Amino acid sequence: MAGEATVSLLRVKGPVEAIAGTVTVPGDKSISHRALILGALARGRTPVSGLLTAEDCINTARALVQMGVEIDNLGQSSVVIDGVGLRGLRSPTGVLDLGNSGTGMRLLMGVVAGQDFAATLTGDESLRQRPMDRIAQPLGQMGIKVAGQGEQCLPPVTVWGGNPRPITYQTPMASAQVKSAVLLAGLNAPGTTTVIEPARSRDHTERMLAALGAQVSVDGLQVSVEGNPDLSGREMVVPGDFSSAAFLLVAALLIPGSEVTVGGILLNSTRTGLLEILGRMGAKLEVSNRRQATGEPVGDITARASQLSATQVGGEVIPRMLDEVPILALAATQAEGQTVIRDAEELRVKESDRLAATAQVLSALGATIQQQPDGLVIDGPTRLQGAEVDSFGDHRIAMMAVVAGLIAEGQSVVTNTQCISTSFPEFADLLRDLGARVDEK
Ligand code: S3P
């Protein structure tokens, strides 16, 4: 569990020399969660390779095991899930602890909604501060009772599973977690369950459901699934996580003389908004070797050190680059002019308040950055100065801060970096493979 891990820190002395090389990153976190969950709900066996072995996904896998699912090689990147069928989960052997993972908790709330038992889900200190009312509301409309703490329905939450009714639900925010929870509950509802989003969020749930045999239709911002599908297990290959690759690619853009290729990366356009924005800023990014892996587009991405210019970011691209806003903000500190990021208020309810955390970390390193209620304003370019900064217990803030330390003048220490293991345990090792000196503790 992230909260129980020993406290660690990473130390870097910048500015580092050029980084170079070709690497691969671990499997996509969003797809790994879905492969575990849908493999469990399908009939028959689902062999998955390339699965992310980080804490978030292991916690989801353990929760499924607690509900009676057999997973061979749990903890490895190649597992075999013995599916129990749509309503075949068993009443769990205790509270389900999802650690740091909002995705694990929210998707499993949707799953439990369609089972014949009640389950209580909890998490670490960060997850216990994240709102679950966004899931409780649609599940309530489906006739499923959910109880949590306070008005925002904070964890621990209890979901009384049963017979969800199909609904048409307009989500107040573009959230793949909300969309997925409703669609997963809809698998055990008679008839058509529809989710309409204000902007397109990542679409891995609908793609994977279709690949396993469900009837899924997508019409603009509207996604529907027919209840009681015949889901059959099948082999799945999880591509590399674009959100993890982003830290290495931006490092290469910002460190003079660098050239880094990250191979086998997910290129789903609901995830790669950062590529478009960096391209507009003048980043030298090249995508090659495009191919498909289990219904998802995949390719290799090469980044070369680049002179960047500022840009304006907002609207529909934000959900397509949600987890990349902190690393984009770092890139913007090195870009010529004023970068404005808007419509990103959802970042305030992530593993940390990512707008506040990004602004604090980058200010401490000497950047000119201001928070807005829904975004950030960054003036560049600024020569960053080494400092001691905290991760706020958030993996994406920790990794952004380490990359910032690589280009800052002098020593930087990033504290509380154990959270990196929730999504990208190999991060520091890969930076070392590329030639950057990153010291632990
Ligand atoms: C995720 C959805 C996003 C993202 C998270 C993973 C998913 O969250 O930030 O890291 O796998 O569905 P929201 O649905 O809250 O936007």
Side-chain angles (χ1 to χ4, degrees), residues 30 34 103 106 174-177 202 322-323 350:
S30 294
R34 287 154 175 85
T103 305
R106 290 180 175 140
S175 161
Q177 294 174 357
R202 65 194 67 193
L322 205 56
D323 294 332
K350 295 290 176 189

Side-chain angles (χ1 to χ4, degrees), residues 29-30 33-34 103 106-107 130 134 174-178 180 202 204 322-323 346 350-351 354 396:
K29 180 150 76 79
S30 294
H33 279 294
R34 287 154 175 85
T103 305
R106 290 180 175 140
L107 269 55
R130 296 182 66 189
R134 54 182 58 197
S175 161
Q177 294 174 357
V178 175
S180 301
R202 65 194 67 193
H204 311 304
L322 205 56
D323 294 332
E346 270 293 299
K350 295 290 176 189
E351 286 85 327
R354 284 189 178 153
R396 306 220 187 268

Side-chain angles (χ1 to χ4, degrees), residues 64-86:
L64 290 165
V65 168
Q66 269 178 274
M67 291 189 281
V69 180
E70 273 179 41
I71 303 175
D72 287 349
N73 294 332
L74 199 163
Q76 310 290 310
S77 61
S78 289
V79 301
V80 180
I81 307 157
D82 214 351
V84 295
L86 279 181

